[in-house]
Amino acid sequence: MPGLPARSRAAAASAAAGLLLVVASMVLPRWLDEDVRVHWPPLHADWDPRIGILTLPAVAIGLALALVLPVLARNVPWRVLLLAAFAATWVWVMALAMTEGTDGLARVFERRQEYVYDAQGVGSIHTMLQTFVDRIPYSSPENWHVHVAGHPPGALLYFVGIDRLGITDPFWIGVVCVTIACTAVVAVLSTLRTLGTERLARSAMPWLVLAPTAVWTGVTGDAVFTAVAAWGLALLAIAAKRGGAVPAIGAGLLLGSCVYLSYGLVLLGILAVAVLLIARSWRPLPWAVGGALVVVALVTAGGFAWWEAYPVLRERYYDGIASERAFSYWVWGNIAAWTFTVGLAVWAAFPAAARAARRGNVLAQLAGAALLTILVADLSGMSKAEVERIFLPFTIWVVALPALLPERWHRPLLISQVALALLTQTLLLTRW
């Protein structure tokens, strides 16, 4: 690449490194005849091409959005932009899922290993909380199924709530999850505007909508957790920049709730600190901590102690398939799997992001905090495979990095994001 400018060479080299990592994660297990305990490394998926008539609307919608969203992002009023971002994300996620018809949303929620099966068997919520830890181990005669056992009870309570509202059909459960999850884009845009500028937020909009994360949005509980976390951080940013106890307490309530949705979301503390550092204000901290402690007090009074459950969960985790997934592969295989959710466009943007972060660019700084969070989660050994869903609450802060690249690159890179999502959705049968 001697004829390319330095910026272009850096972007190409970074993208090539990401591609090499993905290829290695796919080839090495087969070459070494190593069973890494997923069917299609590095994703928890199966090779199952499903290209039919319903693929055509998804292709058309994806390409249309890639062309139209940058224009909308520049020209419509801010409130219209937020509504358009939510609507476009919802339409894109649904278009991808519906390439398989209604089964594209329903299939996941029909599985016994998912939350819905256990949620529909919950009678007394108080009894559920009091006995929750006892039912985590495999040895328990009434042990929770995989996903319920692997999360605090907040995740189960969310699906219990849906069930109590009378939404029991797996497809409509999926629609509810998609709708909630898609609001995360609005929260991230609001945060970028609050901490940075409206221009920065507008530039990020198409990348947030068309990120390959759309394949997993709405068919996993983690996508819903992503929305809760994103709104918690958005409220924290508002409290830090504009003041006020109400948004700070709201941030604490939401971020405190995240800890009861997934054990790994305790790492949101890194992003929360980043928000306060960028805003240069610690004023919201006491109010936010107070809000979080209210959540802890209520759940603990209900009968569930997080600190007692986590060690039991670790035992269940290593009693299961995790003990058969080699850390030596997954410590880097996780990043290869994660690459499917962000695309090589994000890898290409890493050098530009590093330069922008040093200049105080808010998008780059938040993405840096999210990448640090992902690194910590990866090195913990508690995330071996399946990170395409597990890392979603952190990944959403990274996917807009290509906005920092030269504008003439945007259209082809946006189309590459659409193509990756379509290929993943139609060639692979993802488990989530």
Side-chain angles (χ1 to χ4, degrees):
M1 300 179 287
L4 294 175
R7 181 168 55 181
S8 298
R9 289 199 302 272
S14 183
L19 179 61
L20 180 63
L21 185 71
V22 169
V23 171
S25 71
M26 295 165 62
V27 171
L28 284 180
R30 294 171 175 83
W31 184 35
L32 300 174
D33 195 25
E34 180 183 1
D35 185 358
V36 295
R37 304 300 289 163
V38 294
H39 294 168
W40 199 85
L43 295 179
H44 197 40
D46 293 283
W47 177 259
D48 185 17
R50 303 169 317 287
I51 300 174
I53 191 68
L54 292 175
T55 307
L56 297 179
V59 173
I61 289 169
L63 291 177
L65 289 175
L67 296 175
V68 170
L69 287 179
V71 178
L72 284 177
R74 289 192 297 268
N75 296 299
V76 300
W78 175 250
R79 291 184 180 179
V80 176
L81 175 83
L82 294 180
L83 180 61
F86 168 77
T89 306
W90 193 92
V91 168
W92 178 227
V93 171
M94 289 296 292
L96 285 170
M98 294 297 285
T99 57
E100 301 177 57
T102 58
D103 193 47
L105 283 182
R107 184 182 63 249
V108 170
F109 298 110
E110 291 171 342
R111 294 182 185 142
R112 181 171 293 196
Q113 294 88 349
E114 279 290 332
Y115 305 99
V116 174
Y117 181 86
D118 281 330
Q120 292 176 345
V122 171
S124 165
I125 291 176
H126 183 57
T127 300
M128 180 273 286
L129 288 173
Q130 288 187 316
T131 60
F132 193 88
V133 176
D134 296 334
R135 297 178 63 180
I136 293 175
Y138 270 123
S139 57
S140 170
E142 296 182 338
N143 66 68
W144 299 114
H145 289 86
V146 174
H147 268 206
V148 174
H151 293 78
L156 178 60
L157 281 171
Y158 164 74
F159 286 95
V160 170
I162 290 179
D163 183 68
R164 299 286 168 89
L165 289 173
I167 305 170
T168 57
D169 182 273
F171 172 75
W172 289 107
I173 292 172
V175 171
V176 171
C177 289
V178 168
T179 304
I180 294 173
C182 290
T183 68
V185 170
V186 179
V188 174
L189 289 172
S190 300
T191 304
L192 291 173
R193 184 176 185 245
T194 300
L195 295 178
T197 65
E198 185 173 315
R199 181 179 179 183
L200 179 67
R202 287 175 177 272
S203 71
M205 188 271 256
W207 304 98
L208 287 164
V209 173
L210 294 177
T213 50
V215 174
W216 293 272
T217 299
V219 295
T220 71
D222 300 85
V224 175
F225 309 161
T226 298
V228 178
W231 282 110
L233 292 168
L235 286 175
L236 187 64
I238 291 170
K241 291 295 286 187
R242 303 175 190 171
V246 172
I249 293 171
L253 290 171
L254 289 176
L255 295 174
S257 298
C258 285
V259 177
Y260 290 95
L261 293 171
S262 175
Y263 292 101
L265 292 186
V266 70
L267 295 177
L268 284 170
I270 296 173
L271 272 160
V273 169
V275 166
L276 296 176
L277 287 172
I278 292 168
R280 299 181 181 180
S281 174
W282 297 95
R283 290 175 300 172
L285 191 58
W287 295 105
V289 170
L293 289 177
V294 168
V295 177
V296 174
L298 288 173
V299 178
T300 305
F304 174 81
W306 193 99
W307 48 92
E308 293 176 0
Y310 184 69
V312 181
L313 179 273
R314 282 186 62 89
E315 293 179 14
R316 166 79 182 251
Y317 182 69
Y318 286 104
D319 282 343
I321 199 171
S323 62
E324 302 173 30
R325 289 174 172 166
F327 182 74
S328 58
Y329 171 82
W330 286 109
V331 70
W332 59 275
N334 279 344
I335 307 304
W338 174 79
T339 298
F340 280 85
T341 70
V342 297
L344 294 178
V346 165
W347 278 82
F350 282 157
R355 294 191 296 270
R358 290 194 293 270
R359 296 196 299 267
N361 182 282
V362 170
L363 171 59
Q365 290 175 334
L366 287 171
L371 289 169
L372 175 60
T373 307
I374 288 169
L375 179 63
V376 172
D378 184 37
L379 295 176
S380 73
M382 285 296 287
S383 299
K384 290 190 289 188
E386 306 175 41
V387 298
E388 54 267 29
R389 63 169 180 84
I390 295 171
F391 289 170
L392 283 176
F394 317 130
T395 301
I396 196 170
W397 299 95
V398 180
V399 293
L401 282 180
L404 302 175
L405 292 170
E407 190 170 343
R408 67 182 183 278
W409 298 2
H410 286 190
R411 180 172 292 179
L413 288 178
L414 271 174
I415 292 173
S416 78
Q417 297 292 72
V418 169
L420 176 57
L422 285 166
L423 289 171
T424 303
Q425 176 67 27
T426 56
L427 298 181
L428 299 173
L429 182 63
T430 60
R431 293 289 175 148
W432 320 112

